[in-house]
Amino acid sequence: MLGVCYYPEHWPRERWAEDARRMRELGLTYVRIGEFAWSCIEPEPGRFTWTWLDEAIETLGQAGLKVVLGTPTATPPKWLIDRHPEILAVDPMGRVRGFGSRRHYSFSSRIYREEARRIVTLLAQRYGQNPHVAGWQTDNEYGCHDTTRSYGPEDLQAFREWLRARYRSIEALNEAWGNVFWSMVYRSFEEVGLPNQTVTEANPAHWLDFYRFSSEQVASFNRMQVEILRAYSPGRFIVHNFMGYTPDFDHFKLAQDLDIAGWDSYPLGFTDMDVLPCTEEEKVRYARSGHPDMAAFHHDLYRGVKPRWWVMEQQPGPVNWAHHNPSPAPGMVRLWTWEALAHGAEVVSYFRWRQFPKAQEQFHAGLNRPDFEPDVGFFEAKQVAEELQGLGSLPPSCPAPVALVFDYEADWVLSIQPQGKEFVYRDLVWRFYQALRRLGLDVDFVPPGADLSPYRMVVVPSLPIVREAALKAFQAFAGPLVLGPRSGSKTESLGIPPSLPPGALQELLPLKVVRVESLRPGLWEALAWDGRVWKVGVWKEWVESPLVPEARFADGKGAIYREGNRWYLAFWPELDLLQAYLAQQARAAGLSPQTLPEGLRLRRRGPWTFAFNYSPEPRLVPAPEGARFLLGGREVAPYNLSVFEG
């Protein structure tokens, strides 16, 4: 199904009914409204103007649209900030982040939590049983604009309370953090500060606990809203719209309180802004299509966060916020929509219905232009709606053959102590994902400890902290299990395991990492594997083990170790080497990897296979002889797609 984001408060009321009618004629089912409307709902403290929102919901609903109503807590109004400036967040340099844009609040502000509770309760009481309201969206893009972590007085107080609950005694905290080092011992929790603004590097365990605390603050703020909505609006779904790679809080844990995980898909902006890293050559080649793995990475991630998932905001044209904002190539809005559906999205919702000619996003395209005429994306959305109507119900999704173990905490650990500037967890995960997708393999993201039995092959780019649930899941898995560098390298308090890395994973592989090296750009190690010599950079580990290495560095040290169905990579893998290596493991798992032409990607949904061409040249689909094409054909034109069965 398809939807759209709409802001009735931006447009004359006499336009609403016409907009609603045209949305339905276009083939849209859902319309999201209200997530930034607090000052329109409550222009002054305690004075409410519900009439416009009543009318908007009724108008949309009478046209046959299902309303997703947003809670407006991402934008507290000016009068509230003036009354309680302590609501505002504080940046790592100690500067207050001011009013005038959005997400200007600290999750730890007690006053703001009460104000958010109040407005969400009033909304839920008024619209919770409204027949046109099908579901709710909590807030908007948690963590966007670097807003997960705040460093003000209320954050400090809440952090101390969190530490007291976690450690019970200050002696336990001192021991866990190793505070005997540099005379950092505390006498009480009231002495503990925030880890920012220290003279040099703060205690890494201090940072990690602050990151954990900050993540839990986001989840508890969201849970507060969810509990209100469930109480006053039973039977309606609850969703949040997550962002492109935003690791500052644990999406798996937050989504436990949701029915649906949504995410906001902007392939061109994300490619230009290195949301996932792209080379300059890729940025030019894919400037009008987005990197061929950019949107898919997030589709698979958020399907892992919650089996029910939506694209809450789909880019329909140029955006306003990237370094460069080209127009999508003709056909790309259609391709992005179909790709999301192929990966299992229930709904793809375009942002937005009409381009707004004022304020910060006036350059952000919509399905319609500011002069009320349809824009390019309108017609591509219309084509998708017609194609969906012609194809009927999509087949159900099923587990992919490959699981990628993804851990938000791993991102925190490796950002706190990277040991090498280029060792970035995001980049390593992206490398594994690209290698698998280039081989035509479908991928599921799973959290540590998830049941791995549905999968044929499991890859773990890196998992520094290995807890018992993850260890048991790895032990129970019978297929190829590939563990990347620094897995098992840390304790829960960010220390080195007593038995040395990989710590608990030594139950799976008898080896010890006795030294690590980070390599600057241009400093390469030679690695011999599979009859070839490969270049290795960024990271190298020295390993002691009774196992005979399957690959060695030029100095004779082991690089790849195997014990049964488990492999350990003691280095940062370059993409070509990783692709060749994972192809070998996939074949061992009984899969059929195939090196796809540049820019072509596949995704399966039940018996259907979707082929997407991100390149400016036509590509041939590797479909079996006799395949029945439902859309397109064996040759896929640039920025186009094919769907086949068989």
Side-chain angles (χ1 to χ4, degrees):
M1 289 184 283
L2 305 179
V4 73
C5 306
Y6 185 54
Y7 299 90
E9 66 270 28
H10 294 175
W11 309 106
R13 290 194 185 194
E14 55 269 21
R15 284 279 181 183
W16 294 356
E18 179 189 355
D19 283 341
R21 176 184 57 79
R22 291 179 60 223
M23 290 176 194
R24 285 301 292 149
E25 289 176 353
L26 182 57
L28 307 181
T29 301
Y30 287 94
V31 57
R32 183 189 75 161
I33 67 171
E35 76 269 23
F36 298 125
W38 193 336
S39 64
C40 294
I41 294 169
E42 189 180 14
E44 297 178 24
R47 182 172 73 84
F48 297 94
T49 54
W50 298 108
T51 304
W52 73 270
L53 187 53
D54 294 344
E55 184 180 337
I57 292 173
E58 183 66 19
T59 300
L60 296 166
Q62 286 295 330
L65 293 159
K66 299 178 181 180
V67 174
V68 180
L69 185 55
T71 64
T73 50
T75 50
K78 185 61 163 63
W79 58 259
L80 181 55
I81 297 302
D82 287 346
R83 277 188 164 192
H84 299 289
E86 63 271 29
I87 286 171
L88 295 169
V90 176
D91 76 7
M93 300 303 294
R95 299 169 298 200
V96 175
R97 305 186 74 174
F99 180 87
S101 58
R102 62 182 188 176
R103 301 218 51 77
H104 43 281
Y105 67 85
S106 164
F107 287 101
S108 296
S109 170
R110 291 163 295 177
I111 289 174
Y112 190 62
R113 287 199 177 218
E114 287 309 307
E115 287 294 319
R117 180 186 301 277
R118 180 180 65 86
I119 193 66
V120 172
T121 299
L122 290 169
L123 271 171
Q125 288 174 334
R126 190 171 187 91
Y127 301 110
Q129 302 294 325
N130 189 298
H132 304 311
V133 175
W136 296 84
Q137 176 187 294
T138 56
D139 205 270
N140 183 81
E141 294 181 343
Y142 290 139
C144 191
H145 317 304
D146 192 22
T147 53
T148 297
R149 299 163 189 156
S150 177
Y151 300 84
E154 288 210 79
D155 307 294
L156 173 58
Q157 179 177 337
F159 181 47
R160 287 171 174 168
E161 293 169 359
W162 184 90
L163 291 173
R164 185 178 288 107
R166 180 177 177 85
Y167 290 102
R168 304 296 180 184
S169 73
I170 195 64
E171 292 77 15
L173 180 147
N174 283 323
E175 175 62 27
W177 288 10
N179 281 341
V180 67
F181 188 77
W182 282 358
S183 192
M184 295 183 293
V185 174
Y186 299 111
R187 296 173 300 163
S188 69
F189 289 104
E190 284 67 34
E191 289 187 345
V192 181
L194 296 174
N196 62 317
Q197 294 189 301
T198 54
V199 173
T200 184
E201 178 184 4
N203 189 326
H206 192 165
W207 273 116
L208 181 56
D209 272 343
F210 181 67
Y211 286 5
R212 288 168 172 154
F213 154 77
S214 299
S215 176
E216 291 183 17
Q217 292 294 88
V218 183
S220 66
F221 181 82
N222 184 75
R223 187 177 308 117
M224 173 267 290
Q225 297 199 25
V226 168
E227 289 171 353
I228 294 168
L229 297 173
R230 296 216 188 279
Y232 291 102
S233 192
R236 275 74 173 176
F237 63 79
I238 302 176
V239 62
H240 177 73
N241 60 324
F242 298 108
M243 271 294 295
Y245 196 85
T246 309
D248 295 350
F249 65 96
D250 190 327
H251 296 40
F252 290 111
K253 290 183 178 179
L254 186 145
Q256 291 173 3
D257 297 314
L258 302 173
D259 300 304
I260 299 170
W263 86 279
D264 297 345
S265 178
Y266 294 94
L268 300 193
F270 290 168
T271 297
D272 189 76
M273 295 284 284
D274 282 322
V275 169
L276 296 169
C278 301
T279 66
E280 289 303 312
E281 181 182 357
E282 288 172 331
K283 289 179 182 180
V284 172
R285 181 165 182 80
Y286 299 121
R288 297 189 183 277
S289 65
H291 188 286
D293 298 316
M294 185 67 70
F297 177 99
H298 293 93
H299 296 333
D300 290 339
L301 171 60
Y302 288 114
R303 189 181 64 255
V305 167
K306 205 74 180 179
R308 293 185 63 192
W309 67 280
W310 291 19
V311 172
M312 296 299 293
E313 298 182 13
Q314 176 59 67
Q315 179 175 357
V319 297
N320 66 292
W321 44 263
H323 297 310
H324 315 93
N325 297 288
S327 181
M332 282 310 304
V333 174
R334 170 178 173 257
L335 186 153
W336 293 329
T337 305
W338 270 114
E339 187 172 43
L341 296 170
H343 283 254
E346 288 186 8
V347 173
V348 177
S349 175
Y350 301 99
F351 186 87
R352 60 179 74 196
W353 176 246
R354 183 180 293 112
Q355 184 176 352
F356 189 55
K358 300 176 183 178
Q360 285 92 328
E361 292 183 352
Q362 58 187 275
F363 283 109
H364 196 304
L367 293 181
N368 293 273
R369 304 183 320 215
D371 64 356
F372 302 95
E373 292 299 315
D375 206 342
V376 174
F378 180 98
F379 299 104
E380 295 194 25
K382 185 174 187 292
Q383 183 177 353
V384 175
E386 292 168 349
E387 290 167 340
L388 280 168
Q389 184 76 18
L391 288 175
S393 298
L394 300 179
S397 297
C398 54
V402 181
L404 187 155
V405 176
F406 180 84
D407 184 34
Y408 286 96
E409 186 180 57
D411 189 287
W412 309 338
V413 168
L414 296 173
S415 67
I416 291 168
Q417 281 195 316
Q419 186 61 12
K421 182 180 178 182
E422 285 74 31
F423 201 115
V424 178
Y425 178 70
R426 172 203 65 177
D427 298 2
L428 187 60
V429 173
W430 174 233
R431 190 156 298 209
F432 271 80
Y433 184 79
Q434 287 183 86
L436 293 165
R437 288 265 294 168
R438 288 183 177 192
L439 294 169
L441 297 172
D442 294 336
V443 181
D444 282 351
F445 283 69
V446 300
D451 178 16
L452 302 176
S453 61
Y455 301 101
R456 306 280 291 279
M457 174 177 164
V458 174
V459 299
V460 187
S462 187
L463 186 62
I465 298 175
V466 178
R467 293 182 172 82
E468 185 178 358
L471 182 63
K472 287 183 176 179
F474 296 155
Q475 288 171 326
F477 183 65
L481 171 67
V482 179
L483 296 153
R486 302 183 76 169
S487 292
S489 62
K490 293 294 181 182
T491 66
E492 286 199 39
S493 297
L494 214 51
I496 296 173
S499 61
L500 299 186
L505 292 175
Q506 289 167 355
E507 295 186 31
L508 307 183
L509 295 122
L511 57 86
K512 285 188 177 183
V513 177
V514 298
R515 177 173 291 186
V516 298
E517 299 183 66
S518 56
L519 309 176
R520 66 176 296 111
L523 181 59
W524 299 97
E525 291 278 341
L527 184 152
W529 174 76
D530 197 32
R532 287 184 56 184
V533 176
W534 309 77
K535 290 201 307 183
V536 171
V538 180
W539 189 261
K540 175 187 176 183
E541 298 177 353
W542 295 21
V543 175
E544 292 179 356
S545 175
L547 301 173
V548 177
E550 292 202 344
R552 292 183 184 272
F553 298 110
D555 60 8
K557 292 183 173 63
I560 300 177
Y561 290 87
R562 176 185 181 182
E563 176 76 342
N565 65 312
R566 299 145 185 165
W567 284 262
Y568 184 85
L569 309 183
F571 61 95
W572 177 281
E574 294 300 310
L575 184 55
D576 289 344
L577 168 57
L578 187 59
Q579 183 173 328
Y581 180 75
L582 293 180
Q584 185 182 92
Q585 305 312 315
R587 285 190 289 269
L591 302 175
S592 301
Q594 52 189 320
T595 301
L596 297 176
E598 182 274 325
L600 185 73
R601 295 293 186 268
L602 303 179
R603 175 65 199 183
R604 295 153 193 88
R605 179 164 177 164
W608 294 6
T609 299
F610 296 75
F612 302 98
N613 184 10
Y614 275 78
S615 73
E617 300 88 25
R619 292 285 183 256
L620 290 177
V621 175
E625 199 66 37
R628 183 171 71 94
F629 281 86
L630 309 174
L631 284 179
R634 193 171 294 275
E635 182 177 276
V636 188
Y639 314 123
N640 211 315
L641 68 136
S642 291
V643 184
F644 62 89
E645 191 173 37

